[in-house]
Amino acid sequence: MKLHLGCGNKHIEGYVNIDIRYLPGVDEVNNVGKLRNYKPNTVDVIYASHVLEHFSRWEYASVLKRWFDVLKPNGILRLSVPD
């Protein structure tokens, strides 16, 4: 399973495209910082482009921990953030 977090209206085929609000191309409306619908060790890849910076300096560590928790062992986390 592959998750595209904070996808906005950019749909990536082969991924579950998740955003906090419904837009065209969103497969699932969910809080990407909590990912309540996903159990630990169930996700192969998480792709998050320009989403981590939307969490405060007090939130980002718990968000990254949650993403790590849902990833399978040796899962891949791909992050892109602005300067």
Side-chain angles (χ1 to χ4, degrees):
M1 178 182 310
K2 299 179 192 176
L3 304 181
H4 177 200
L5 304 182
C7 65
N9 59 5
K10 181 163 176 57
H11 181 88
I12 300 177
E13 198 65 40
Y15 282 74
V16 178
N17 297 275
I18 303 172
D19 204 278
I20 192 72
R21 59 197 172 136
Y22 179 76
L23 296 165
V26 171
D27 300 315
E28 178 182 327
V29 175
N30 197 336
N31 180 330
V32 299
K34 302 208 183 293
L35 295 176
R36 296 177 202 265
N37 297 342
Y38 297 89
K39 294 181 181 177
N41 304 316
T42 58
V43 175
D44 299 297
V45 176
I46 290 177
Y47 173 62
S49 178
H50 295 277
V51 68
L52 188 61
E53 66 270 17
H54 293 277
F55 295 96
S56 75
R57 62 181 167 200
W58 298 280
E59 295 174 301
Y60 81 90
S62 64
V63 170
L64 287 173
K65 182 178 182 329
R66 179 61 183 142
W67 293 354
F68 178 78
D69 288 344
V70 301
L71 281 171
K72 291 179 179 177
N74 298 314
I76 297 170
L77 174 60
R78 291 197 170 118
L79 292 175
S80 176
V81 294
D83 282 345

